[in-house]
Amino acid sequence: MSQNTQKVFTPLADATPYTQPGLPGARGLAYIETYGCQMNFSDTEIVAASLAELGYGFTHDEAAADVVLLNTCAIRENAEQKVWHRLAQLKGRKRRNPDLIVGLLGCMAERLKKQVLEDAPVVDLVVGPDAYRDLPTLLAAAEGGQKAVNVLLSREETYADLAPIRLNTNGVSAFVSIMRGCDNMCAFCVVPFTRGRERSRDVASIVRECEQLVADGYREVTLLGQNVDSYRHEGTDFADLLARVAEVSPLLRVRFSTSHPKDLTERVAQALAAYPNVCNFIHLPVQSGSSRILEKMNRGYTRDWYLDRLAMIRSYVPEVGLSTDIISGYCSETEEDHQATLSLMAEAGFDSAFMFAYSERPGTLAARKYPDDVPAEVKQRRLAEIIELQGQLSVASNRREVGRVHTVLVEGTSKRSVADLCGRTDTNKLVVFATPDGVGPGDYVQVQITETTRATLIGSIVERP
Ligand code: 5AD
Ligand code: SF4
């Protein structure tokens, strides 16, 4: 799943404290900060639902909050380091306001469990990803001055019946969680330990959530799971689910993340081709281009298998947008393995990639079996080469777009200039274009690409709604 590498604050739709008893906010104000993958951002919306039921309102002003929650990531060591720094800052705030409740949620909470309370006494609440239903009880205990912990993992919890509160919304795109946990046991990955066993959410509740989103004016959903291709609920597999969601409304774009090369089926590629509103974009983490390393990563495929999957996908969707994840410097990686990664990148022609240096995570298969033996400077040098190559591939991929016309779903105003709008192509490329009157978020427009930067396409509207 794609990762946000920098700290991301959650801007909240409504920072106004409500004061009437019985209304949201009567109990106090919560501030939630989210780190890590899209699944964490989606979980924050579940946490918000749980807090709102309790009577909490939300603020994006940390100083105004009665409860500060950090929804954390444990995937690499630096993700945890950021949170330790935040906890150190919160110590000062709590000294000034001893009633402040500080909670640690998510994967780091799950991984470190009670140890957090010893190492960071500022923390009152430690809640793992499957325990958000227990937040009312845990918060009540914390408000009473006790430390509260629930890090139980579940085999069933999907929060199917909790309507997420979309704190961070642009009103156009929404995440919809379709499954939780992961059974793959990739050797480098801590996720199976922090998010537990894989389980799929029932189809009807997913379809209902998407129908409601359309009724509320949303025009894009991203179906989320650690490995969406192994979705299965009472005979419905992921390809069937894509079809069901695509049929909710032709106005609704359907995206999904993350796919796994070993499980991605031909039927999924066929669904991309068959439904115009299922986006022609796949995030397909490869991790390495060396079959020897892939085997040691326990990924369940070889280099050739991966390239073969790409050929299969492109046979149905020739212009598919493709992104990936790559790890440099995994245990025992040689220069030859690294070269294999670079050559695979060029052969695959990824449009974009998330690239990381290997970070050993305690308890994982790799940490137990293989020494973390690639020196840090070698990992970094290889990572720099991977990033450099991907830069070239991304530029080339963007240049090919010049002159083409894309259907773009308008998301909002551009970060660079409020006079411009931005949105995405079906293939997930960001496009910036001048705003004509009467076009706004949620509209589909035809945009011709006129120029590009490394990360963005620039165009002008040739046809409006
Ligand atoms: N070190 C570095 N990168 C990792 N990822 C997962 N675990 C690690 C680790 N221990 C990367 C993988 C995965 C993405 C979400 O994060 O590339 O696909
Ligand atoms: Fe981690 Fe592999 Fe599961 Fe992704 S598929 S969450 S990398 S174990």
Side-chain angles (χ1 to χ4, degrees):
M1 175 149 312
S2 60
Q3 298 281 316
N4 284 298
T5 45
Q6 71 275 63
K7 178 175 69 183
V8 178
F9 289 91
T10 310
L12 303 175
D14 185 358
T16 317
Y18 297 96
T19 46
Q20 277 172 279
L23 283 180
R27 181 93 173 241
L29 285 175
Y31 167 90
I32 316 177
E33 203 168 284
T34 310
Y35 298 79
C37 66
Q38 294 163 324
M39 187 58 98
N40 251 19
F41 281 76
S42 169
D43 279 2
T44 288
E45 298 176 343
I46 296 294
V47 169
S50 197
L51 292 183
E53 238 169 63
L54 257 180
Y56 276 96
F58 303 97
T59 176
H60 52 203
D61 177 10
E62 187 197 314
D66 304 288
V67 176
V68 170
L69 301 176
L70 307 183
N71 191 2
T72 63
C73 170
I75 198 121
R76 283 168 293 275
E77 199 190 342
N78 59 10
E80 291 192 354
Q81 283 309 335
K82 282 182 209 154
V83 172
W84 286 118
H85 284 130
R86 281 293 285 135
L87 289 175
Q89 288 166 3
L90 285 167
K91 224 158 76 182
R93 193 172 287 291
K94 187 143 176 164
R95 218 175 293 124
R96 294 188 292 278
N97 172 15
D99 290 336
L100 177 72
I101 293 174
V102 174
L104 199 74
L105 317 179
C107 287
M108 183 176 164
E110 187 66 46
R111 193 179 85 73
L112 296 172
K113 304 192 166 68
K114 285 186 180 157
Q115 190 202 320
V116 175
L117 299 178
E118 287 155 30
D119 295 353
V122 66
V123 173
D124 304 291
L125 206 64
V126 179
V127 192
D130 282 348
Y132 298 143
R133 265 181 217 279
D134 202 23
L135 271 168
T137 315
L138 297 165
L139 266 169
E143 284 168 349
Q146 292 167 39
K147 301 279 181 184
V149 180
N150 187 343
V151 287
L152 286 177
L153 288 172
S154 158
R155 279 179 176 255
E156 287 96 34
E157 183 63 88
T158 59
Y159 300 116
D161 57 315
L162 272 184
I165 294 190
R166 303 186 194 275
L167 297 170
N168 198 16
T169 185
N170 59 7
V172 177
S173 322
F175 293 133
V176 174
S177 165
I178 63 163
M179 59 200 298
R180 300 181 69 81
C182 185
D183 281 351
N184 282 323
M185 295 306 254
C186 298
F188 51 77
C189 189
V190 76
V191 167
F193 305 94
T194 60
R195 289 190 165 270
R197 299 303 297 270
E198 191 171 285
R199 64 222 99 116
S200 295
R201 177 178 170 188
D202 75 281
V203 189
S205 79
I206 296 170
V207 171
R208 258 198 318 273
E209 186 174 338
C210 294
E211 285 168 348
Q212 187 59 49
L213 284 164
V214 173
D216 292 343
Y218 285 83
R219 292 292 174 261
E220 182 175 79
V221 290
T222 303
L223 307 179
L224 288 183
Q226 238 68 45
N227 177 4
V228 290
D229 300 289
S230 54
Y231 177 89
R232 181 156 282 275
H233 188 266
E234 289 172 359
T236 301
D237 70 5
F238 184 58
D240 301 329
L241 180 71
L242 271 179
R244 288 286 303 275
V245 175
E247 281 161 13
V248 165
S249 164
L251 284 178
L252 185 70
R253 272 190 169 176
V254 186
R255 299 188 184 278
F256 52 91
S257 188
T258 296
S259 298
H260 196 303
K262 80 175 163 54
D263 298 320
L264 179 91
T265 62
E266 198 156 349
R267 290 180 56 242
V268 168
Q270 286 164 347
L272 262 61
Y275 289 92
N277 59 332
V278 175
C279 288
N280 290 335
F281 177 79
I282 302 191
H283 179 61
L284 196 64
V286 66
Q287 316 294 4
S288 168
S290 154
S291 294
R292 188 185 73 82
I293 292 291
L294 287 169
E295 161 97 51
K296 268 192 123 130
M297 287 177 162
N298 202 22
R299 287 289 290 177
Y301 56 87
T302 60
R303 174 193 177 97
D304 287 347
W305 167 277
Y306 185 90
L307 289 169
D308 197 56
R309 289 286 88 184
L310 292 192
M312 180 278 287
I313 296 164
R314 285 179 168 140
S315 73
Y316 290 101
V317 191
E319 294 300 327
V320 71
L322 200 66
S323 72
T324 198
D325 292 345
I326 296 175
I327 297 176
S328 78
Y330 182 66
C331 315
S332 87
E333 186 187 74
T334 62
E335 219 43 51
E336 195 185 339
D337 295 318
H338 170 58
Q339 289 302 326
T341 295
L342 294 174
S343 72
L344 177 127
M345 289 170 69
E347 210 169 314
F350 297 117
D351 298 292
S352 60
F354 297 90
M355 299 154 285
F356 315 100
Y358 174 59
S359 163
E360 185 179 80
R361 306 311 289 134
T364 55
L365 207 68
R368 283 180 277 137
K369 261 176 92 174
Y370 309 122
D372 179 12
D373 53 3
V374 177
E377 60 280 10
V378 176
K379 283 180 190 171
Q380 287 305 327
R381 193 255 303 150
R382 290 179 187 166
L383 179 62
E385 288 174 14
I386 288 167
I387 292 172
E388 167 62 28
L389 174 58
Q390 185 53 49
Q392 292 168 19
L393 294 172
S394 299
V395 166
S397 149
N398 282 350
R399 286 220 180 105
R400 284 195 293 274
E401 300 291 351
V402 175
R404 289 184 186 163
V405 175
H406 280 284
T407 304
V408 171
L409 172 60
V410 182
E411 287 175 16
T413 49
S414 155
K415 272 192 208 138
R416 296 192 311 188
S417 134
V418 283
D420 290 337
L421 288 173
C422 71
R424 277 170 199 280
T425 65
D426 176 315
T427 52
N428 208 29
K429 287 191 164 163
L430 194 65
V431 188
V432 174
F433 46 96
T435 318
D437 288 342
V439 174
D443 287 336
Y444 287 99
V445 286
Q446 298 294 318
V447 177
Q448 180 157 42
I449 309 306
T450 49
E451 52 184 312
T452 74
T453 66
R454 187 162 166 148
T456 312
L457 305 178
I458 299 164
S460 53
I461 292 187
V462 290
E463 196 184 306
R464 4 197 318 189

